[in-house]
Amino acid sequence: MRAVDVISKKRDRKELSPSEIEWFVAQAAKGLIEPYQVTAWLMSVYLNGMTTAETSALTRAMRDSGRALRFSLPSIPVDKHSTGGVGDKVSISLAPLVAACGAFNPMIAGRGLGHTGGTLDKLEAIPGFNVHLPLDAFTKLVGEIGCAIIGQTAEICPADKQFYSLRDVTGTVESLPLIVSSILSKKCAEGIGALVMDVKAGSGAFMKSDTDAIALATALVRTGQSMGLRVLAFVTDMNQPLGRTVGNALETAEAIDFLKGESESRYAELTYLLAAHMLVLSGVCTNHAEAHEAAEKAVRDGRALEKCRVMIEKQGGDPRVVDDSSVMAKASRVEPYLAKSDGFIGAMDTMRIGIAAMVLGAGREKASDVIDPAAGFVMRKAPGDPVRMGEPILDIHCNRIEKMETAARVLDEAITIAETPGPIPALVRKVIASE
Amino acid sequence: MRAVDVISKKRDRKELSPSEIEWFVAQAAKGLIEPYQVTAWLMSVYLNGMTTAETSALTRAMRDSGRALRFSLPSIPVDKHSTGGVGDKVSISLAPLVAACGAFNPMIAGRGLGHTGGTLDKLEAIPGFNVHLPLDAFTKLVGEIGCAIIGQTAEICPADKQFYSLRDVTGTVESLPLIVSSILSKKCAEGIGALVMDVKAGSGAFMKSDTDAIALATALVRTGQSMGLRVLAFVTDMNQPLGRTVGNALETAEAIDFLKGESESRYAELTYLLAAHMLVLSGVCTNHAEAHEAAEKAVRDGRALEKCRVMIEKQGGDPRVVDDSSVMAKASRVEPYLAKSDGFIGAMDTMRIGIAAMVLGAGREKASDVIDPAAGFVMRKAPGDPVRMGEPILDIHCNRIEKMETAARVLDEAITIAETPGPIPALVRKVIASE
């Protein structure tokens, strides 16, 4: 086989065979295909697309470029993947919740970049929490307590990292098959057999339109299914921050509050929904109603909170955080952000809210930026809520006082006040099941 | 400007501005854009094409990546470009012919690869002929005698060489804008103001179909025109070798014979046609009839032959070749290739004839192969000619006796004998003038 022939075949819109894709990825991962051949191929994939069979072969090849975990457990290991948004702290409550119900959730999570937060950054707001467990310790912990959350390691899908760094500088990031294979190869390497996906759509998501989000969700489900996973995808609303906090320590505290029974927000609604489906797909529960009830019960009787405490402790974090969020960093200054007129909270440019939080230090503009775990917002109003001039819409938590002004200006652009209440998009926009 | 933005714009089928293209090529030539970004861009150009304005900017940028010659002469410097075929020795007779008529033809020519021959290889069949004149000596010689023929130098269009080596391994060779800019950038670097192009179509050409050849010729003319050149393109037949010889010394001898007045072949017809148009485009003659007559007269009265002798001498070659072709290498063995049945010479797979010659050593399978200048064929029959079983169709000139058998087998596949004479495609299939 020659790289140029594989490139030319994709260039000519022909379907690549699994063995051609596997060979290309394996050779590239070993450095036996030049980066300038990889990028020509990536561009031809970007422009000509891939079939589900091709995307599936690509996912498998990327998974097999590194170490893939294997579990031997009484139920199917299950995970959740979210495409990322603002205020999305679901993973932190979800993993202990499903583990408390008897499921096994090995979760390899990511960091925040740009307007989006990352689960790892949120967990690191807990003093001592170690997201760098070796894979063997991670596997052991999942078997022992049912869940663990760590970061990407160099052993998992090295080809994905290599391809991503090339995609980033060649305009080939936004390609459905490349996005799908990147997501699923890493998830498959976790050793899971079931996966619930949360594809965000809206102003704070990577996919702004429902159409794009549905296309991604559909491709994820099709490919996941053809990889032998039990899969389900939800397209959910990201036109407002999820829950009442944005920022790392604030969100971790909110996640813990959920496990204590706080259940009024869309965040709680989504966590229960995803948890229930994970319990069904993993085979722990037989139907959705039973699963939902199991999840609620685990919260009610404190087992989910206790599981969270154990997970934190086992990963080196200060378990007192479960009882007292003040063990996490606190902002030196908290200032209300006030409504400039009477009316109703209108549509939010949620990406801008994420960017305002990033400006304060809650996120990163570039990968090397240092996070301030205390920075962020506590939302006091949501879209549709009535508001009076001078009334706080949110509280700004901030240590970098000199950034306050800039963040407030970004918020001015992000939040509108309308004379009449506008429509509020439903939380769940679409469910995509496997065929 | 960022490389990724230029790539993404072309990926999105938007027209790049001249400054974007110039910047990209200049940075790439300096090594400031990574090869893996160049190839992603090349693939997006391959798949999304380029407008004439873009191709023109690309041509200019590639020309300006190196040294561009400048002449100050009484008429417009003029050249001819052929896309290559089998038996095409036109350049060798054409340059001295137009120079003898008063035109100035600085010609940077190429080598043969695969089934095609190259002008440089043919000239090097002349003992001592030096195709490696420094550019200053080349420029001076053109001014002095009106013509000179040398090979590509590292100073001319380095970006083209760089891009080509990347295209070769990424499936991006056969792209009209990339082919056009590669051809024209090198021609423009010669310092010419007028260019006649001979785009071959048929079984021995890169473009097999008239449609493809016309598309290339049209793109060459449009782009050449937008570069400020006086241009004209002919689509000519390459369904049989051009003239009666294939192979380096044999073709050079035939080119000299033409200058001595041999005028029966399609090769002579094409040479006069191209010469006449070069004389008109360069401003040496005012119309085609006058130009054609001028060219015929230069052959009749021996001035063209004399010009050839001077060019050979000035370039270090043995000028006696003009009177005696036996100063060039001769094959140790000459064997007729015989007709296997009675009938008429049918369609020729001319590429296969070129490959048969390559097998004997007249061409290269790979760039590093060593040429045998004596090897080749002298055609005794052309398509449409009646032939009797056992009668010679051509003579095989060969030193590598062990290859004779293979070459003959390739010829068996290349040459057919039909019961009735088939149609003979006209030499000139289409003329494409500037608008």
Side-chain angles (χ1 to χ4, degrees):
Chain A
M1 234 179 267
R2 295 190 316 156
V4 64
D5 298 327
V6 176
I7 299 167
S8 302
K9 195 171 172 186
K10 182 39 60 189
R11 175 199 74 190
D12 293 341
R13 298 177 170 72
K14 290 177 190 139
E15 186 175 31
L16 295 172
S17 72
S19 65
E20 284 166 334
I21 292 171
E22 280 154 25
W23 177 84
F24 192 90
V25 174
Q27 295 292 104
K30 285 184 212 146
L32 298 175
I33 292 176
E34 296 288 349
Y36 51 74
Q37 294 183 301
V38 174
T39 57
W41 183 76
L42 290 170
M43 181 57 82
S44 68
V45 170
Y46 182 102
L47 288 169
N48 293 338
M50 273 189 158
T51 63
T52 298
E54 285 178 300
T55 310
S56 179
L58 177 57
T59 305
R60 199 170 290 117
M62 298 222 296
R63 178 195 67 194
D64 295 343
S65 69
R67 180 173 165 190
L69 304 182
R70 275 173 203 284
F71 289 98
S72 176
L73 296 168
S75 65
I76 298 166
V78 62
D79 195 11
K80 185 257 335 180
H81 178 77
S82 156
T83 59
V86 177
D88 182 359
K89 70 280 297 173
V90 168
S91 293
I92 296 170
S93 39
L94 190 63
L97 176 56
V98 298
C101 296
F104 295 91
N105 178 4
M107 187 180 277
I108 298 182
R111 297 202 176 270
L113 189 62
H115 72 283
T116 62
T119 296
L120 302 180
D121 301 320
K122 292 168 198 178
L123 285 169
E124 285 180 344
I126 302 168
F129 197 100
N130 179 15
V131 300
H132 302 294
L133 296 187
L135 287 178
D136 291 329
F138 170 69
T139 312
K140 191 158 164 277
L141 188 55
V142 170
E144 217 172 278
I145 68 166
C147 64
I149 306 177
I150 59 167
Q152 184 69 22
T153 81
E155 300 153 274
I156 300 281
C157 299
D160 176 64
K161 195 172 178 189
Q162 184 186 355
F163 279 30
Y164 191 85
S165 70
L166 292 173
R167 285 166 62 201
D168 195 35
V169 294
T170 56
T172 48
V173 167
E174 287 127 26
S175 155
L176 220 48
L178 298 179
I179 292 170
V180 165
S181 58
S182 174
I183 291 173
L184 290 181
S185 59
K186 287 178 285 188
K187 287 289 152 187
C188 288
E190 291 174 347
I192 57 171
L195 180 63
V196 175
M197 284 168 291
D198 177 15
V199 178
K200 308 286 191 188
S203 62
F206 287 105
M207 302 290 178
K208 306 295 171 210
S209 74
D210 278 20
T211 314
D212 287 349
I214 290 168
L216 174 57
T218 306
L220 282 165
V221 166
R222 293 235 175 97
T223 307
Q225 189 183 5
S226 83
M227 296 282 298
L229 290 178
R230 297 182 176 201
V231 275
L232 193 64
F234 294 91
V235 173
T236 71
D237 184 63
M238 188 29 75
N239 285 301
Q240 54 174 291
L242 187 66
R244 59 174 167 77
T245 58
V246 177
N248 299 288
L250 295 169
E251 290 190 48
T252 297
E254 188 184 4
I256 291 169
D257 286 344
F258 163 81
L259 294 173
K260 289 177 178 169
E262 186 183 275
S263 62
E264 276 147 80
S265 71
R266 285 156 78 107
Y267 153 56
E269 186 187 342
L270 184 58
T271 305
Y272 278 123
L273 177 75
L274 298 173
H277 283 284
M278 286 170 77
L279 293 174
V280 173
L281 287 187
S282 65
V284 170
C285 295
T286 53
N287 63 62
H288 186 71
E290 178 198 328
H292 204 279
E293 174 49 31
E296 283 192 340
K297 191 157 180 293
V299 170
R300 265 202 314 273
D301 64 19
R303 277 179 296 125
L305 184 67
E306 184 51 31
K307 187 63 80 180
C308 184
R309 187 199 310 271
V310 172
M311 180 182 83
I312 291 168
E313 193 162 25
K314 293 274 185 186
Q315 293 201 234
D318 185 342
R320 290 175 305 164
V321 72
V322 168
D323 309 305
D324 177 11
S325 68
S326 74
V327 305
M328 292 190 286
K330 267 194 141 44
S332 59
R333 196 142 144 203
V334 179
E335 296 234 344
Y337 172 79
L338 307 176
K340 291 184 173 55
S341 60
D342 291 353
F344 296 86
I345 302 292
M348 285 180 170
D349 185 338
T350 313
M351 180 185 273
R352 281 220 167 88
I353 294 179
I355 287 170
M358 181 191 84
V359 166
L360 296 175
R364 297 180 183 82
E365 198 175 341
K366 49 185 195 300
S368 57
D369 288 346
V370 175
I371 292 270
D372 174 4
F377 306 127
V378 175
M379 310 301 291
R380 300 230 206 155
K381 302 279 177 192
D385 287 353
V387 70
R388 294 215 149 264
M389 189 169 85
E391 201 182 353
I393 297 173
L394 55 82
D395 293 327
I396 302 176
H397 287 236
C398 178
N399 286 313
R400 301 177 190 170
I401 311 299
E402 75 285 2
K403 302 286 187 185
M404 201 95 155
E405 190 63 33
T406 312
R409 248 181 291 129
V410 178
L411 287 175
D412 290 346
E413 288 169 24
I415 299 170
T416 55
I417 295 175
E419 287 186 12
T420 51
I424 311 297
L427 174 63
V428 176
R429 305 274 264 277
K430 183 115 185 159
V431 184
I432 291 146
S434 58
E435 282 153 359
Chain B
M1 233 179 267
R2 296 191 315 158
V4 64
D5 298 327
V6 176
I7 299 167
S8 302
K9 195 170 171 185
K10 181 41 59 189
R11 175 200 74 190
D12 293 341
R13 299 176 168 75
K14 290 179 191 137
E15 186 175 29
L16 295 173
S17 71
S19 64
E20 285 166 334
I21 292 171
E22 280 155 24
W23 177 85
F24 192 90
V25 174
Q27 295 294 102
K30 285 182 213 149
L32 298 176
I33 292 176
E34 297 288 348
Y36 52 73
Q37 294 183 301
V38 174
T39 57
W41 183 77
L42 290 169
M43 183 56 83
S44 68
V45 169
Y46 182 102
L47 288 169
N48 292 338
M50 272 189 160
T51 63
T52 299
E54 286 177 301
T55 310
S56 179
L58 178 56
T59 306
R60 199 169 292 119
M62 298 221 296
R63 177 195 68 194
D64 295 342
S65 69
R67 179 172 167 191
L69 304 181
R70 276 173 201 284
F71 288 99
S72 178
L73 296 168
S75 64
I76 297 167
V78 62
D79 195 12
K80 185 256 335 180
H81 178 76
S82 156
T83 59
V86 177
D88 181 0
K89 70 281 296 173
V90 168
S91 293
I92 297 171
S93 40
L94 189 63
L97 175 56
V98 297
C101 297
F104 295 90
N105 178 5
M107 187 179 276
I108 298 182
R111 296 201 177 270
L113 189 63
H115 72 284
T116 62
T119 296
L120 301 180
D121 301 320
K122 293 168 197 179
L123 285 169
E124 285 181 345
I126 302 169
F129 196 99
N130 178 14
V131 300
H132 302 295
L133 296 187
L135 287 179
D136 290 329
F138 171 69
T139 311
K140 188 158 167 278
L141 188 56
V142 171
E144 214 172 280
I145 68 166
C147 65
I149 306 178
I150 60 168
Q152 185 68 22
T153 81
E155 300 153 273
I156 299 280
C157 298
D160 175 64
K161 196 172 177 189
Q162 185 186 355
F163 279 29
Y164 191 84
S165 69
L166 291 172
R167 286 166 60 200
D168 196 34
V169 293
T170 56
T172 48
V173 168
E174 287 128 25
S175 154
L176 219 48
L178 298 179
I179 292 169
V180 166
S181 58
S182 175
I183 291 172
L184 291 182
S185 60
K186 287 179 283 190
K187 287 289 152 187
C188 287
E190 291 174 348
I192 57 170
L195 179 63
V196 175
M197 284 169 289
D198 178 15
V199 178
K200 307 286 192 190
S203 63
F206 287 105
M207 301 289 176
K208 306 294 172 211
S209 74
D210 278 19
T211 313
D212 287 349
I214 290 169
L216 174 57
T218 306
L220 282 165
V221 166
R222 294 236 174 98
T223 306
Q225 190 183 4
S226 83
M227 296 283 297
L229 290 178
R230 296 182 177 202
V231 274
L232 194 64
F234 294 91
V235 173
T236 71
D237 184 64
M238 187 30 73
N239 285 301
Q240 55 174 290
L242 186 66
R244 59 174 168 76
T245 58
V246 177
N248 299 288
L250 295 169
E251 289 190 48
T252 297
E254 187 184 5
I256 291 167
D257 287 345
F258 163 82
L259 294 173
K260 288 177 178 169
E262 186 183 275
S263 61
E264 275 147 82
S265 70
R266 285 157 76 106
Y267 153 55
E269 185 187 342
L270 184 58
T271 305
Y272 278 122
L273 177 74
L274 298 174
H277 283 284
M278 286 171 77
L279 293 174
V280 172
L281 286 187
S282 65
V284 170
C285 296
T286 53
N287 63 63
H288 185 72
E290 177 199 329
H292 204 279
E293 174 50 31
E296 283 192 341
K297 190 159 180 291
V299 170
R300 266 201 316 274
D301 63 19
R303 278 179 296 125
L305 184 67
E306 183 51 29
K307 187 63 81 179
C308 184
R309 186 200 309 271
V310 172
M311 181 182 83
I312 291 168
E313 192 162 26
K314 293 276 186 185
Q315 294 201 234
D318 185 342
R320 292 173 305 166
V321 72
V322 168
D323 309 304
D324 177 10
S325 67
S326 74
V327 305
M328 293 189 286
K330 268 194 139 47
S332 59
R333 195 141 143 207
V334 178
E335 295 233 344
Y337 172 80
L338 306 175
K340 292 184 173 53
S341 61
D342 292 353
F344 297 86
I345 303 292
M348 286 181 168
D349 185 338
T350 312
M351 181 185 274
R352 280 219 167 86
I353 295 179
I355 288 171
M358 181 192 82
V359 165
L360 297 175
R364 296 178 184 84
E365 198 175 340
K366 50 184 193 300
S368 57
D369 288 347
V370 175
I371 292 272
D372 174 4
F377 307 128
V378 174
M379 311 300 291
R380 301 228 205 161
K381 301 280 178 192
D385 288 353
V387 70
R388 295 214 147 268
M389 189 169 85
E391 199 182 353
I393 297 174
L394 55 83
D395 293 327
I396 300 176
H397 287 238
C398 179
N399 287 313
R400 302 177 189 170
I401 311 299
E402 75 285 1
K403 302 287 187 185
M404 202 93 156
E405 189 64 33
T406 312
R409 250 180 291 128
V410 178
L411 287 174
D412 290 346
E413 289 171 22
I415 299 170
T416 56
I417 295 174
E419 288 187 10
T420 52
I424 311 298
L427 174 63
V428 176
R429 304 273 262 279
K430 182 114 184 161
V431 185
I432 290 145
S434 59
E435 282 155 1

